[in-house]
Amino acid sequence: EPEVTQTPSHQVTQMGQEVILRCVPISNHLYFYWYRQILGQKVEFLVSFYNNEISEKSEIFDDQFSVERPDGSNFTLKIRSTKLEDSAMYFCASSRVMLEQYFGPGTRLTVT
Amino acid sequence: GENVEQHPSTLSVQEGDSAVIKCTYSDSASNYFPWYKQELGKRPQLIIDIRSNVGEKKDQRIAVTLNKTAKHFSLHITETQPEDSAVYFCAATDTGNQFYFGTGTSLTVIP
């Protein structure tokens, strides 16, 4: 059964550095999402993406964040200048029909 | 925006008993309500969902009920097993562009 994949599984970075988190959605899916989950807390929506543009973004998704689908398979989340509070698990999700989301395994981002 | 509340935050049941987790939502425009199971250190997995044109949906030992008037929906797990132990999240959306998650319920099934 196809699954969403994410790389890296764990990223450690220094405050102020840029990071790019990568996701490969399920191949016939059209809707893509990024979420974050701070340890022990709920899943928080960041952004949704369809047809090469952002559909919706939360207040968390400020100017430090950007998303891109650079080719037909990858979907990336970039954080330009990381802060300590960006430390979290970042999940990518995709869906074929805009509702039934399937999550990737996550990237644990640690900002030191 | 939408606000989803989830109760209880922790739940312990004996193996074989039933477990019920409840969520309420605030936006009457929400029309799709998925439930996710997240085992420790793993990805959230969709286990069941319900659309607003349906009052109840069942899949083996798992069922979800929806009361649109009261704006609440519940997850029911019958004949619980130790492998049901996990954190369960409810969510709600209207358009599918933005999902709002509950705070999670940590379910422990005691053998």
Side-chain angles (χ1 to χ4, degrees):
Chain A
E1 186 174 333
E3 288 188 329
V4 177
T5 60
Q6 289 184 244
T7 54
S9 57
H10 191 192
Q11 173 94 46
V12 182
T13 189
Q14 289 192 331
M15 196 167 50
Q17 295 296 304
E18 174 182 287
V19 294
I20 297 176
L21 310 182
R22 291 183 167 79
C23 168
V24 179
I26 295 172
S27 63
N28 63 348
H29 285 192
L30 302 175
Y31 303 89
F32 314 112
Y33 309 82
W34 281 103
Y35 293 88
R36 79 172 185 191
Q37 185 178 34
I38 295 170
L39 188 63
Q41 298 186 23
K42 69 176 176 180
V43 175
E44 297 177 292
F45 169 81
L46 292 178
V47 66
S48 58
F49 191 87
Y50 169 72
N51 200 25
N52 285 320
E53 60 183 26
I54 290 174
S55 304
E56 194 83 44
K57 59 183 180 179
S58 72
E59 57 272 13
I60 302 169
F61 194 88
D62 61 22
D63 292 344
Q64 294 298 312
F65 291 87
S66 62
V67 289
E68 198 177 34
R69 189 154 161 82
D71 53 42
S73 59
N74 289 282
F75 180 50
T76 62
L77 175 70
K78 182 192 290 185
I79 309 175
R80 287 188 184 80
S81 178
T82 50
K83 303 188 278 283
L84 293 176
E85 53 265 37
D86 293 328
S87 295
M89 181 74 90
Y90 288 80
F91 291 104
C92 170
S94 71
S95 64
R96 187 175 62 85
V97 292
M98 200 179 167
L99 289 179
E100 297 171 6
Q101 296 180 89
Y102 294 87
F103 282 75
T107 293
R108 180 165 297 285
L109 177 64
T110 302
V111 183
T112 61
Chain B
E2 173 68 280
N3 181 42
V4 177
E5 296 191 353
Q6 184 171 347
H7 299 281
S9 56
T10 60
L11 179 60
S12 291
V13 298
Q14 292 289 332
E15 182 177 357
D17 287 351
S18 295
V20 180
I21 302 170
K22 298 180 179 180
C23 287
T24 61
Y25 61 100
S26 60
D27 188 351
S28 57
S30 290
N31 56 21
Y32 175 70
F33 308 92
W35 285 91
Y36 294 89
K37 175 183 180 182
Q38 187 178 29
E39 295 175 32
L40 191 62
K42 297 195 174 179
R43 74 186 80 190
Q45 289 196 304
L46 178 67
I47 57 171
I48 196 166
D49 56 16
I50 192 166
R51 287 166 170 76
S52 60
N53 59 347
V54 175
E56 184 173 356
K57 184 176 178 181
K58 191 172 180 182
D59 182 4
Q60 299 182 350
R61 296 186 298 107
I62 294 173
V64 57
T65 59
L66 171 65
N67 183 326
K68 285 192 297 182
T69 304
K71 296 200 195 72
H72 66 71
F73 56 111
S74 300
L75 178 71
H76 304 253
I77 306 174
T78 58
E79 300 171 26
T80 52
Q81 300 165 4
E83 50 265 38
D84 294 329
S85 295
V87 178
Y88 291 81
F89 290 97
C90 63
T93 186
D94 55 355
T95 63
N97 284 323
Q98 183 163 359
F99 284 74
Y100 298 87
F101 281 74
T103 48
T105 296
S106 178
L107 173 65
T108 302
V109 180
I110 303 164

